[in-house]
Amino acid sequence: MDSPPSVPGAQAIARAASLLRLVSAGGAAGLTVSELARRADLTRPTTHRLLTALRHEGLVDQDEALGTWMPGPELYLMGTAAASRYDITSLARDIVRSLAVRTEESAFLSVRRGDETVCLLREEGSFPIRSFVLSEGVRFPLGVASAGLAILSFLPDHDVDAYFERHPELPERWGAAHAPTRLRGRLRETHERGYAVNPGLIVEGSFGVGAAVFTREGHPQWALSLTGVEFRFGPDRLPELGRVLLAHAHQLTTRVAAARG
């Protein structure tokens, strides 16, 4: 079968979109052209040319004194317009706080964005030793952090297969535990158990658990998660953490359905 014709300008749009995501992740501190070029796997001239075009449209801005690039005003306006559909932080804030209080661990809300999860909310737990793997704006590929593992576990099989086809780099970038065969095993375990467990696969000694939050139509679009040090996630405590996490995820799923019904 012949490949479908490419859409004119698709490569330029994909590159610009990649830069917008990177600039957004850089936040108020901003990132230099060189750093953006490296992360986007683009040449420096191409990166500068795209950033200049995006700046002309108001989508990015530049601190000329420091040479760093940051999100622009138009990006803020677009985000505000989209928030009513995609942003559930106002619905979730007290639930994330309750999760942190109940477990004493750091609690998070993440959202699916394409093939990644993005952290939207973080609430510190009272336990003095904490994990700092995750914070607002941090992105991970689906299946890597516990939030993305929970979401990927409840996607249809054909979507999971397509995801692995698009991302053969997972084991090279994130370790052998993310090879398709081993990751599929964790997906099955997550689906059966109801919540995902990340046993220190991102940072040694930093454990995480995650549970999917669903749209009114039943699609896994968000996730609640907990992170902490290894000895706090042992076999004697993990089941209770999972039960509390699932209860809060169900509460948020119910709240999302009621708000958008």
Side-chain angles (χ1 to χ4, degrees), residues 9-144:
Q11 184 183 53
I13 292 172
R15 287 174 169 177
S18 176
L19 286 175
L20 284 174
R21 285 192 290 269
L22 290 169
V23 169
S24 297
L31 294 169
T32 64
V33 171
S34 297
E35 180 64 17
L36 288 166
R38 184 186 68 78
R39 295 189 188 187
D41 197 23
L42 298 172
T43 65
R44 193 179 186 283
T46 296
T47 302
H48 189 269
R49 185 169 63 251
L50 288 169
L51 288 170
T52 301
L54 291 169
R55 183 184 186 186
H56 180 73
E57 299 297 330
L59 293 168
V60 299
D61 203 357
Q62 184 184 28
D63 184 325
E64 295 185 3
L66 298 175
T68 52
W69 293 82
M70 298 151 290
E74 283 296 326
L75 207 58
Y76 166 76
L77 294 173
M78 289 180 179
T80 301
S84 62
R85 181 174 181 186
Y86 295 104
D87 184 11
I88 65 165
T89 54
S90 61
L91 298 176
R93 195 173 301 276
D94 65 313
I95 292 177
V96 175
R97 185 176 300 114
S98 169
L99 188 57
V101 170
R102 286 281 303 277
T103 64
E104 301 181 339
E105 310 297 343
S106 296
F108 308 86
L109 170 71
S110 297
V111 63
R112 180 187 178 190
R113 289 287 184 265
D115 287 350
E116 299 177 312
T117 55
V118 185
C119 179
L120 298 178
L121 286 176
R122 175 184 177 119
E123 186 73 31
E124 298 289 1
S126 61
F127 191 72
I129 305 175
R130 297 168 184 167
S131 168
F132 292 95
V133 174
L134 198 57
S135 59
E136 288 93 337
V138 171
R139 295 171 178 262
F140 283 108
L142 294 177
V144 174

Side-chain angles (χ1 to χ4, degrees), residues 191-204:
H191 199 277
E192 292 169 1
R193 187 172 46 220
Y195 60 91
V197 178
N198 186 317
L201 297 178
I202 300 174
V203 174
E204 186 176 357

Side-chain angles (χ1 to χ4, degrees), residues 230-243:
E230 181 176 357
F231 73 87
R232 297 277 292 174
F233 288 71
D236 56 331
R237 190 167 184 254
L238 187 58
E240 176 60 22
L241 289 175
R243 283 192 290 272

